[in-house]
Amino acid sequence: MTRWLTEAVPRGRVAAFRTLVYLFVAADLVVFTPWVRTRVSVPGDLYQPLLIGRLLPLPTPTETLVTVIFWALLLLALLAATGRAPRLLGWAVCALYLEWMIIAMSYGKVDHDRFGLLVALAVLPTAGRARHGDTTRTEAGGWALRVTQIAVICTYFLAAFAKLRFGGLDWLTGSVLARAIIRRGTDLADLIAQVPYLLIVAQFGIVAFELLSPMVFLLPQRWRLAMVGFFYSFHAVTIATITISFAPHLAAMTSFLPLERVRPLVWGRRLVRRGSPEAATTEEPQPHRAEVDPVAAGAGPALDDQAPVVGRPAGP
């Protein structure tokens, strides 16, 4: 079990995952959760902190507090994405983003798609230094990725558990997806909803897929990547039908992927070098090949020796 938890991975994979996660945190602040800053206009009496917010305890959000967290987290996340000071910047980003999420989720709605990302932020500082493209393997980085993977799969499995716990079998046979389509469905969802019993079949399929998601750890590497691809396709359909993105969860799920193979900076440099005039002038000229008479070389008959076309005399 210990060997499985600490299976060594290339440091380049850890570096790529770290950059992706911290860049997503920065994007999350300005694209996905900028509405958190509007919480300061809500009366403080409506702030009902989560359990962790009551245990610490954390102060009631104010405009000054939320603004400081926003700008500090944005700056530190961008710095952490460079891979410098992984422990210092990593712990700082983890603490600030946790507080950001506590503020966001303490007004009556808790999103379960943040779990994997929060776990990733908590374990990445323990992975140590890692450089992009480094092929040397690290058990500390492997542990960080494995724990994130477990959190991602727990998100699926526990979601199915919650469905059956609170909704019972009625969740499977009820109108859950129908209500979701009425509230926020797309034109594609409207077409799907017209097929008899298809939504019921989809509800059974969703629960089955979530309950069976831990099987991803039992598959060989090739089939594991195929199953992760199925996970992504499931969320693509979800976005296309009921416009729920699960973006933080999708970012954490990249812990399954061989990210060390994705090197956009290297690819960009190669494209720049190919397109630059200096690259064209420094290319070695191809050796000149002397033209050889195919007839003299014995390659075949001359054009004049070809048989005439029917109805035409030979010769010019």
Side-chain angles (χ1 to χ4, degrees):
M1 185 66 177
T2 302
R3 181 180 300 177
W4 179 76
L5 283 173
T6 60
E7 183 180 0
V9 298
R11 293 184 183 273
R13 184 179 305 182
V14 178
F17 181 68
R18 173 181 289 153
T19 298
L20 187 150
V21 165
Y22 289 136
L23 287 179
F24 177 83
V25 169
D28 187 43
L29 295 175
V30 297
V31 177
F32 298 106
T33 60
W35 48 265
V36 177
R37 302 182 69 180
T38 64
R39 290 291 186 259
V40 298
S41 60
V42 178
D45 296 340
L46 299 179
Y47 175 69
Q48 301 294 327
L50 303 174
L51 177 60
I52 187 174
R54 299 193 300 270
L55 292 177
L56 290 179
L58 296 174
T60 301
T62 63
E63 183 175 2
T64 301
L65 176 64
V66 174
T67 301
V68 169
I69 293 175
F70 176 84
W71 289 109
L73 181 54
L74 182 61
L75 175 61
L76 292 176
L78 292 175
L79 291 175
T82 65
R84 300 181 182 275
R87 290 182 176 84
L88 177 62
L89 293 176
W91 290 122
V93 170
C94 178
L96 289 174
Y97 190 76
L98 177 61
E99 169 63 0
W100 185 258
M101 285 294 98
I102 292 174
I103 295 173
M105 306 301 168
S106 294
Y107 291 87
K109 180 178 181 293
V110 179
D111 296 331
H112 67 286
D113 63 342
R114 305 276 164 175
F115 179 60
L117 181 65
L118 285 168
V119 171
L121 292 175
V123 298
L124 271 176
T126 68
R129 294 185 176 275
R131 295 177 61 86
H132 289 271
D134 190 349
T135 58
T136 59
R137 294 184 171 267
T138 167
E139 291 186 352
W143 180 82
L145 292 180
R146 183 70 78 198
V147 172
T148 304
Q149 293 171 2
I150 294 173
V152 168
I153 298 304
C154 283
T155 301
Y156 289 131
F157 187 82
L158 295 178
F161 177 77
K163 291 179 178 69
L164 297 177
R165 177 188 176 188
F166 297 104
L169 296 179
D170 290 339
W171 198 99
L172 300 172
T173 58
S175 56
V176 177
L177 290 180
R179 289 197 300 268
I181 291 174
I182 292 173
R183 289 179 54 203
R184 53 193 306 166
T186 63
D187 293 338
L188 176 60
D190 293 337
L191 292 175
I192 294 175
Q194 297 175 15
V195 181
Y197 302 107
L198 182 57
L199 296 183
I200 301 297
V201 173
Q203 289 168 184
F204 273 91
I206 290 172
V207 173
F209 140 68
E210 291 175 336
L211 290 175
L212 296 175
S213 60
M215 290 183 59
V216 70
F217 294 119
L218 305 178
L219 299 176
Q221 179 65 18
R222 179 179 178 182
W223 291 105
R224 183 183 306 167
L225 293 177
M227 190 168 183
V228 172
F230 170 76
F231 293 166
Y232 276 106
S233 66
F234 166 78
H235 289 287
V237 173
T238 303
I239 295 172
T241 52
I242 54 178
T243 62
I244 298 178
S245 68
F246 284 86
H249 178 80
L250 300 182
M253 195 158 58
T254 58
S255 57
F256 282 99
L257 305 179
L259 296 176
E260 70 276 11
R261 302 178 186 175
V262 182
R263 304 191 64 189
L265 293 180
V266 174
W267 298 342
R269 289 171 189 159
R270 290 176 180 173
L271 290 175
V272 171
R273 289 173 183 172
R274 290 176 182 176
S276 62
E278 293 81 1
T281 56
T282 55
E283 291 183 356
E284 296 183 2
Q286 296 292 331
H288 178 70
R289 296 183 179 179
E291 295 183 0
V292 181
D293 186 357
V295 178
L303 293 179
D304 292 341
D305 295 336
Q306 292 180 357
V309 180
V310 176
R312 293 186 57 186

